[in-house]
Amino acid sequence: GRANVGYGVPRRPGVRSGPMGALWEAVLARPHIRAVLGEDARPEAPVRAWPIPATVDRALLTGMGGRVLFAGDAARATDPMTGEGIGQALESGIAAARSILGAGPGDPEGAARAYTAELAAGLLRDNRLAALLSRQLGSARGARAAVRAAGLSAWTRANFARWMWEDYPRAVLATPYRWRRRMLHPPGAFAVPGGGTDRAR
């Protein structure tokens, strides 16, 4: 009988989003939200909000001559389109560990170089593409185009949730080192018995 409802508001320099309480009421009043929650649904706690940094491409990734490698939230490694950050935290943490192990204890600057290079080859590209898509989806025309593209075929409908929620990297076509046979056809993290995806259904 309970639901945890969250929503995101993109922050843009010089643009105020308005009072969060009023935005929250407007979100809950939308017919498609009411259809899911029910007409009698009421908040049971105050609305809470927190800024989510999503600018890993402009973040400080290393410090103290390579003796510190920033990962996850410390590296602002969050998806600009969805606000999701667990996958990015894991990816950047694994990259940091791999860089440290590869360079060894006597070469922190080498670890920093390796870490920066690995993130530049993958996570930063994914972040830039997500930021571009987020800007496009911020307009009515862009949102309509995305919905049309998602509905082109059974395959696009089944995989749209994977593109949104990063079951595989969005920038996979721009990162050849990630290419594998049938890379766009694995069952995925959200696979359910009988085919399709949990989120797509």
Side-chain angles (χ1 to χ4, degrees), residues 67-89:
R67 290 187 295 278
V68 175
L69 305 181
F70 297 105
D73 281 354
R76 303 180 184 177
T78 305
D79 185 273
M81 189 160 68
T82 65
E84 193 271 328
I86 296 173
Q88 290 85 347

Side-chain angles (χ1 to χ4, degrees), residues 3-199:
N4 184 354
V5 181
Y7 70 102
V9 178
R11 295 186 300 160
R12 296 194 173 29
V15 178
R16 291 182 60 82
S17 59
M20 294 300 289
L23 285 171
W24 178 237
E25 293 296 330
V27 167
L28 289 182
R30 295 179 182 181
H32 60 283
I33 301 293
R34 276 289 165 201
V36 172
L37 296 179
E39 290 298 327
D40 296 329
R42 297 289 178 269
E44 63 179 31
V47 178
R48 296 280 187 256
W50 192 258
I52 300 175
T55 52
V56 65
D57 55 333
R58 300 195 300 273
L60 179 68
L61 299 176
T62 68
M64 297 182 65
R67 290 187 295 278
V68 175
L69 305 181
F70 297 105
D73 281 354
R76 303 180 184 177
T78 305
D79 185 273
M81 189 160 68
T82 65
E84 193 271 328
I86 296 173
Q88 290 85 347
L90 290 170
E91 183 175 348
S92 58
I94 290 168
R98 190 166 29 233
S99 300
I100 293 166
L101 290 172
D107 188 12
E109 291 182 354
R113 285 193 300 273
Y115 180 59
T116 302
E118 183 167 342
L119 292 194
L123 186 59
L124 270 66
R125 292 187 189 188
D126 297 335
N127 183 272
R128 290 185 188 112
L129 178 59
L132 175 64
L133 291 172
S134 181
R135 287 193 294 273
Q136 294 299 316
L137 291 171
S139 70
R141 178 182 294 180
R144 283 194 296 269
V147 170
R148 280 195 300 271
L152 285 176
S153 69
W155 188 83
T156 58
R157 287 190 294 275
N159 283 278
F160 180 73
R162 300 179 69 178
W163 300 332
M164 279 292 292
W165 300 102
E166 301 178 272
D167 195 24
Y168 48 65
R170 289 194 201 102
V172 67
L173 296 179
T175 48
Y177 74 92
R178 291 167 163 163
W179 295 357
R180 307 285 185 273
R181 283 180 58 85
R182 298 185 57 78
M183 67 181 178
L184 300 181
H185 299 278
F190 305 118
V192 294
T197 64
D198 199 24
R199 291 184 188 270

